[in-house]
Amino acid sequence: SDEKRLQQAFLNILINAEQSIKSTGRIDVSLSTDGNHYTVRFEDNGFGIPLEDQDKLFEPFFTTKPVGTGVGIGLSTCYTIVKGHGGDIQVHSRPGEGSLFTVTFPEIKS
């Protein structure tokens, strides 16, 4: 179902955030709307993502994790799910400061 696929996408983002935090840290999740779009923000204070890797994050089989610890399908799956729902996903990150993943969906008018 659509709901389960969105849950999978959000869970993948949360798992990546958790894995980027060494021992203790922070993951903030927020939801907002501007009347036309819903925006879900996932922000962590983990180790961050090098700028040269940020453009490749959503490519299948790309991973920044050590060999044997990641297969590189989590964020590409998120991208596919979000785009399939008419949304967009973006990342902003600085090494040593953490990452912010922003997922935006059009608001469904009933």
Side-chain angles (χ1 to χ4, degrees), residues 30-35 37-41 103 105 107:
S30 64
L31 171 68
S32 62
T33 183
D34 64 5
H37 297 88
Y38 290 107
T39 301
V40 185
R41 295 168 45 104
V103 182
F105 294 99
E107 192 168 298

Side-chain angles (χ1 to χ4, degrees), residues 3-22:
E3 182 179 323
K4 292 209 181 289
R5 289 184 54 78
L6 287 174
Q7 287 174 356
Q8 177 188 5
F10 293 162
L11 182 60
N12 283 345
I13 294 170
L14 287 169
I15 287 170
N16 277 324
E18 183 271 330
Q19 290 173 342
S20 78
I21 296 170
K22 291 191 191 238

Side-chain angles (χ1 to χ4, degrees), residues 1 25-26 30 35 43 50-51 54 63 76 88-89 91 95 98:
S1 76
R26 174 186 65 27
S30 64
E43 187 169 13
L51 185 59
Q54 291 178 33
T63 183
S76 68
D88 188 39
I89 183 169
V91 62

Side-chain angles (χ1 to χ4, degrees), residues 65-77:
K65 297 174 185 166
V67 173
T69 60
V71 294
I73 60 171
L75 290 176
S76 68
T77 299

Side-chain angles (χ1 to χ4, degrees), residues 16 52-64 70-80 89 91 101:
N16 277 324
E52 63 270 14
D53 291 342
Q54 291 178 33
D55 288 342
K56 300 178 259 183
L57 283 180
F58 303 113
E59 294 176 7
F61 308 109
F62 177 79
T63 183
T64 60
V71 294
I73 60 171
L75 290 176
S76 68
T77 299
C78 292
Y79 181 86
T80 301
I89 183 169
V91 62
F101 283 81

